[in-house]
Each structure stands twice: as structure tokens, then as C-alpha cells.
């Protein structure tokens, strides 16, 4: 879809007003607002987001609320970072070994995201069969009627999943109860995915550095 073909459902001012209403709901539901970015616009990027509001739950989980003019609803999202979770299970020696001789076009800033970078390299070292099985199991955990999702991939492995729910604040039927239902659906899907990842990679502590760097974590 080109920029000229996109239909804008809301003006930028309306987007801010719509998200402010949902933000009020989320704060009443116990989420703490931590950041607001009024507009991130890129005419060449169909994923441009408008009026992004970041929240944090009592458990430390971060959510983002945003709207884009090309779609009707506002979106509440939570990003589950598989690479970072796997990286947390690696010891310092393994992390150091994994971060030597990185590919030129590595997608992460290693200085800022050392643990996540090591986890991503470890995952990409897995066999094709293991990667295929892991990707299948991840999709199986998040593919429900209650939420939408997007995956991010590197070297054929899913390393991050954005779990999303649609909210329609301009509709007469919109209520704080609906906002809560969407937030709980996103949260429960994220918890289920985390439980699978924690179980699948629970044996990392017992693996040798050489095995992980050569074969990946092998869930």
C-alpha cells in the first residue's frame, strides 16, 4: 500500500485525544504511565506510530498504547523478547564467547543490549530442525482469538513477539471493562509464552559454553 492509497481514519489531534481516554482507563486499572511520544511519523514506513504512551505494570512489564492513521482502532501492545530471556540464562563466559566475531549486519547494538545479543546469537546457532520446531511452538502459544501478534525474525528464528489488542474508544460500546479485557488477554498470552520459554530452555545452566556456542541452547 502506498502513502497516497492509505485512508486516514483520524487526524493527529484525534489520535491524541483517543489514546488519552484509553490511557486514563489503564491508569485506573493499575498501570503506571512512564513516557509519551506525541508523534513518530515516517511516510515511507507503514508501521509509523502516532501518540505512543508507555506504561509499566506492578510486575515491571511494559505496555505501549499507540494509534496509526491507516487502521481504525488504537492498539495496546506488549513485546516479549525471547532473545533477552534466553540471554539471561547464559553465564558471562558464554556471553563473551558468543559476542566475538559478530556478523557485520547484526541487528542489535551490542554495547546497549549485551544479554539480548548473546541470546540472539545462541538461538541462531541452533539446527534448522530445532529452529523450525521452536518457531512453530511460539506461534502455537500466541495464536489465539483474543489477541493479534507480530513476530520479528533473525536468521530464520523468531526472537521477539509483539502481542496486541485492538481498542475502539470512539465507539459508544467502549468501556473500561473492555480495556481491562484486552489488557488481561495480552498479559495472559505473554505469561503463557514466557512459561513455555522458561521451561523449554530450563537446562541452560547445565550446558557447557562450547556446546551452547556451537549448537545453540537446544530447547
Amino acid at each position: 500500500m502506498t502513502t497516497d492509497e492509505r485512508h486516514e481514519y483520524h487526524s493527529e489531534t484525534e489520535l491524541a485525544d483517543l489514546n488519552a481516554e484509553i490511557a486514563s482507563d489503564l491508569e485506573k486499572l493499575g498501570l503506571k504511565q512512564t513516557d509519551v511520544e506525541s508523534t513518530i511519523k515516517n511516510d515511507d514506513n507503514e508501521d509509523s506510530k502516532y501518540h505512543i504512551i508507555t506504561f509499566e505494570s506492578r510486575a515491571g512489564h511494559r505496555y505501549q498504547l499507540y494509534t496509526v492513521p491507516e487502521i481504525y482502532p488504537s492498539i495496546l501492545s506488549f513485546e516479549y523478547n525471547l532473545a533477552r530471556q534466553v540471554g539471561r540464562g547464559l553465564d558471562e563466559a558464554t556471553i563473551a564467547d558468543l559476542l566475538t566475531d559478530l556478523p557485520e549486519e547484526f541487528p542489535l547494538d551490542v554495547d546497549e543490549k549485551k544479554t539480548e545479543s548473546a541470546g540472539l546469537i545462541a538461538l541462531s546457532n541452533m539446527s534448522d530442525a530445532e529452529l523450525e520446531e521452536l518457531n512453530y511452538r511460539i506461534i502455537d502459544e500466541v495464536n489465539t482469538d483474543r489477541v493479534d501478534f507480530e513476530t520479528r525474525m533473525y536468521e530464520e528464528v523468531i526472537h521477539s513477539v509483539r502481542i496486541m489488542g485492538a481498542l475502539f474508544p470512539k465507539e459508544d460500546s467502549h468501556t473500561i471493562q473492555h480495556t481491562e479485557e484486552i489488557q488481561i488477554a495480552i498479559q495472559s498470552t505473554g505469561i503463557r509464552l514466557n512459561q513455555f520459554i522458561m521451561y523449554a530452555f530450563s537446562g541452560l545452566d547445565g550446558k557447557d559454553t562450547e556446546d551452547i556456542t556451537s549448537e545453540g541452547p537446544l530447547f
Side-chain angles (χ1 to χ4, degrees):
M1 180 183 291
T2 66
T3 301
D4 292 338
E5 293 172 333
R6 297 175 188 170
H7 176 73
E8 294 198 0
Y9 287 99
H10 308 297
S11 69
E12 291 186 32
T13 300
E14 287 176 320
L15 298 178
D17 292 341
L18 292 172
N19 279 4
E21 182 176 340
I22 301 173
S24 177
D25 287 350
L26 292 170
E27 289 185 311
K28 291 174 183 175
L29 294 170
L31 297 186
K32 180 181 179 182
Q33 188 175 143
T34 60
D35 188 44
V36 177
E37 297 176 74
S38 295
T39 304
I40 295 180
K41 184 176 183 179
N42 182 346
D43 289 337
D44 296 326
N45 182 358
E46 292 188 18
D47 292 329
S48 296
K49 300 176 184 177
Y50 290 70
H51 202 71
I52 302 172
I53 309 176
T54 303
F55 298 86
E56 188 171 302
S57 70
R58 294 185 182 93
H61 300 141
R62 295 176 71 250
Y63 295 82
Q64 280 194 335
L65 174 68
Y66 58 89
T67 314
V68 295
E70 295 84 21
I71 62 175
Y72 179 60
S74 292
I75 303 298
L76 181 65
S77 73
F78 167 76
E79 187 137 346
Y80 182 82
N81 195 309
L82 169 63
R84 184 167 58 233
Q85 185 61 53
V86 170
R88 286 171 177 166
L90 304 173
D91 60 34
E92 288 298 322
T94 303
I95 290 175
D97 283 348
L98 287 167
L99 296 183
T100 59
D101 195 26
L102 289 173
E104 287 187 10
E105 296 186 1
F106 191 65
L108 300 176
D109 185 327
V110 177
D111 291 333
E112 292 185 2
K113 299 181 177 180
K114 182 178 177 181
T115 300
E116 181 181 342
S117 297
L120 183 54
I121 291 295
L123 287 169
S124 65
N125 285 344
M126 295 166 64
S127 70
D128 291 345
E130 290 281 343
L131 292 177
E132 184 177 354
E133 176 67 14
L134 177 61
N135 289 343
Y136 173 81
R137 295 287 298 276
I138 290 171
I139 297 299
D140 188 52
E141 293 294 335
V142 299
N143 188 19
T144 75
D145 294 335
R146 303 170 68 197
V147 298
D148 295 315
F149 66 93
E150 293 175 351
T151 59
R152 296 183 183 181
M153 300 190 72
Y154 172 75
E155 297 292 340
E156 305 301 323
V157 64
I158 297 172
H159 64 88
S160 182
V161 182
R162 180 182 297 166
I163 304 167
M164 302 171 291
L167 293 162
F168 300 85
K170 204 168 186 178
E171 297 293 320
D172 292 338
S173 59
H174 175 78
T175 64
I176 189 172
Q177 287 79 19
H178 181 236
T179 300
E180 183 177 31
E181 288 172 3
I182 294 299
Q183 191 263 324
I184 290 174
I186 293 170
Q187 176 184 308
S188 60
T189 303
I191 289 172
R192 187 168 61 252
L193 177 57
N194 184 61
Q195 288 174 337
F196 162 66
I197 296 302
M198 294 287 285
Y199 173 77
F201 294 101
S202 60
L204 280 178
D205 289 342
K207 289 185 67 68
D208 292 335
T209 295
E210 184 176 349
D211 292 335
I212 294 173
T213 54
S214 63
E215 299 178 354
L218 295 176
F219 77 103

